[in-house]
């Protein structure tokens, strides 16, 4: 649903079939018109400006965007929900901003002229209490020299904007225009925090904390590199001056992941039945030899028995003769 609300055409409330396929299959944005550079310079909010310039936040035929539409686009682009809610609640009609309009023309968000200290007009885009003036210009040309000055004073030789450094940038412009040094471009006097003096800032007086610090801090938190917890100096310049998302470079083709190796399925061994061993056959010659041996043994035994009987018989005869003659000794 958020995808649809973020990329539908505001005039028709739909996404064409061709564009919907492009979003899902080719990962291409719908063919929405990109705001010409001559007009985009009038968008003073860098966050809304990036989305409008790159065709993600498309005003309707009358030039307006809605709270629901803006929040859906922020979420679809990966802006954290708490920051998406805070940004839309602070710019559209809500309990936080009861004087904000229900719809906003992003090209008419600068109702207070440079140097003025006046209330924001009711039912119109509401300016912050104080502003940097980097994009708050009447001619639509960003004042890059102000960002350069912030880089000198808050970055020094560093090449990254950190959380601490972006708060330094906010504090740099956190004084009324009548004060000395770098000051706010203008002042929405009805939003002055109670107890905050004209030339006091959040650093010198914590009561001066306002939407100036909140908006710059949310910009940093929404677009920082989560790996380094910082935004590169050149990317920060693109965001403020050119209204380009950080890292707006040619996309790097993703490195294909190697296939996940699949372990082979173990195959149980096939049981091999034991091979029956046949009895060793006896050759015929061996059987004959064994039979002959048995015959010889039998014959020898019979001959011996016969001889023994013969000797016994002779003794019996001789004994009988001797008894008759009584002459045997």
């Amino acid at each position: 649903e958020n995808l649809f609300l973020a990329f539908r055409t505001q005039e028709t409330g739909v996404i064409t079939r061709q564009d919907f396929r492009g979003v899902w299959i080719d990962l291409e944005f719908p063919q929405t018109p990109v705001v010409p550079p001559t007009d985009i310079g009038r968008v003073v909010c860098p966050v809304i400006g990036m989305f409008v310039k790159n065709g993600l936040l498309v005003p309707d035929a009358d030039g307006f965007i809605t709270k629901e539409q803006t929040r859906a686009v922020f979420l679809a682009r990966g802006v954290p929900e708490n920051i998406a809610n805070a940004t839309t609640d602070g710019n559209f009609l809500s309990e936080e901003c009861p004087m904000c309009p229900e719809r906003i023309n992003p090209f008419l968000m600068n109702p207070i002229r440079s140097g003025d200290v006046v209330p924001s007009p009711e039912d119109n885009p509401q300016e912050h209490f104080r502003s940097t003036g980097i994009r708050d210009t009447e001619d639509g040309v960003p004042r890059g020299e102000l960002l350069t000055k912030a880089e000198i004073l808050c970055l020094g030789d560093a090449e990254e904007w950190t959380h601490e450094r972006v708060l330094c940038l906010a504090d740099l412009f956190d004084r009324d225009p009548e004060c000395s040094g770098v000051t706010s471009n203008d002042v929405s006097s009805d939003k002055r925090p109670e107890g905050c003096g004209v030339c006091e800032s959040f650093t010198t007086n914590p009561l001066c904390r306002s939407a100036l610090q909140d908006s710059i801090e949310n910009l940093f938190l929404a677009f920082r590199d989560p790996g380094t917890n910082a935004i590169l100096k050149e990317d920060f310049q693109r965001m403020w001056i050119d209204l380009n998302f950080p890292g707006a470079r040619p996309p790097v083709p993703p490195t294909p992941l190697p296939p996940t190796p699949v372990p082979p399925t173990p195959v149980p061994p096939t049981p091999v039945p034991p091979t029956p061993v046949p009895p060793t056959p006896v050759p015929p010659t061996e059987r004959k030899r064994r039979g002959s041996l048995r015959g010889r043994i039998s014959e020898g035994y019979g001959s011996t028995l016969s001889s023994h009987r013969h000797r016994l018989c002779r003794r019996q005869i001789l004994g009988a003769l001797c008894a008759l003659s009584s002459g045997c000794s």
Side-chain angles (χ1 to χ4, degrees):
E1 184 178 31
N2 281 339
L3 176 105
F4 169 77
L5 294 175
F7 297 110
R8 63 180 172 172
T9 302
Q10 294 303 304
E11 291 82 355
T12 62
V14 300
I15 301 177
T16 66
R17 177 179 178 179
Q18 179 180 355
D19 282 346
F20 203 66
R21 288 183 60 86
V23 170
W24 281 93
I25 306 302
D26 303 319
L27 298 180
E28 293 179 348
F29 290 117
Q31 301 302 308
T32 52
V34 177
V35 179
T38 54
D39 294 332
I40 198 63
R42 294 185 295 146
V43 181
V44 298
C45 173
V47 176
I48 291 179
M50 285 189 288
F51 283 92
V52 172
K53 178 187 175 182
N54 290 281
L56 302 179
L57 189 56
V58 183
D60 61 20
D62 298 323
F64 288 94
I65 57 176
T66 67
K67 180 180 180 179
E68 178 192 48
Q69 171 197 7
T70 304
R71 181 179 181 276
V73 169
F74 284 177
L75 294 176
R77 178 58 171 77
V79 174
E81 186 175 4
N82 63 316
I83 296 177
N85 291 337
T87 303
T88 52
D89 287 343
N91 286 279
F92 296 89
L93 180 62
S94 64
E95 292 183 3
E96 181 180 335
C97 187
M99 293 201 308
C100 285
E102 294 184 359
R103 302 186 305 158
I104 287 179
N105 186 326
F107 306 100
L108 300 175
M109 295 180 66
N110 188 26
I112 301 177
R113 296 182 64 84
S114 298
D116 287 352
V117 181
V118 296
S120 293
E122 189 173 354
D123 200 29
N124 276 273
Q126 299 292 295
E127 290 210 30
H128 300 323
F129 166 47
R130 289 167 176 163
S131 60
T132 65
I134 296 174
R135 298 200 60 84
D136 294 26
T137 61
E138 278 74 37
D139 59 5
V141 179
R143 297 177 63 185
E145 69 275 11
L146 291 178
L147 182 58
T148 300
K149 184 172 292 188
E151 292 171 346
I152 294 172
L153 297 175
C154 296
L155 279 187
D157 296 331
E159 292 296 322
E160 293 179 330
W161 284 95
T162 61
H163 187 245
E164 181 181 2
R165 291 166 186 161
V166 296
L167 291 180
C168 168
L169 180 148
D171 184 70
L172 195 63
F173 298 94
D174 196 16
R175 295 164 187 82
D176 284 16
E178 61 190 80
C179 302
S180 60
V182 181
T183 66
S184 175
N185 177 67
D186 51 35
V187 174
S188 182
S189 57
D190 58 306
K191 296 181 180 61
R192 182 183 299 276
E194 185 177 354
C196 179
V198 172
C199 292
E200 292 181 318
S201 70
F202 172 70
T203 301
T204 60
N205 181 1
L207 295 176
C208 290
R209 174 88 187 200
S210 69
L212 172 65
Q213 286 84 13
D214 294 341
S215 60
I216 293 176
E217 185 177 41
N218 284 338
L219 171 77
F220 170 78
L221 294 175
F223 296 101
R224 62 182 168 167
D225 183 336
T228 62
N229 199 28
I231 299 177
L232 292 176
K233 177 181 176 179
E234 58 182 19
D235 282 341
F236 208 62
Q237 292 173 348
R238 290 191 185 98
M239 294 165 66
W240 280 91
I241 306 302
D242 304 319
L243 298 180
N244 285 330
F245 291 112
R249 304 176 183 85
V252 179
T255 304
L257 296 176
T260 305
V262 179
T265 303
V267 180
T270 304
V272 179
T275 305
V277 180
T280 304
V282 178
T285 55
E286 181 69 16
R287 288 197 298 269
K288 182 177 180 181
R289 186 181 66 82
R290 290 179 181 178
S292 299
L293 180 60
R294 284 194 296 269
R296 288 195 297 271
I297 292 174
S298 299
E299 291 173 359
Y301 176 76
S303 176
T304 302
L305 183 61
S306 176
S307 176
H308 175 72
R309 289 176 177 175
H310 181 69
R311 287 193 299 270
L312 180 59
C313 183
R314 288 181 60 189
R315 286 177 184 173
Q316 291 175 344
I317 294 173
L318 288 175
L321 290 177
C322 286
L324 291 175
S325 59
S326 302
C328 295
S329 56

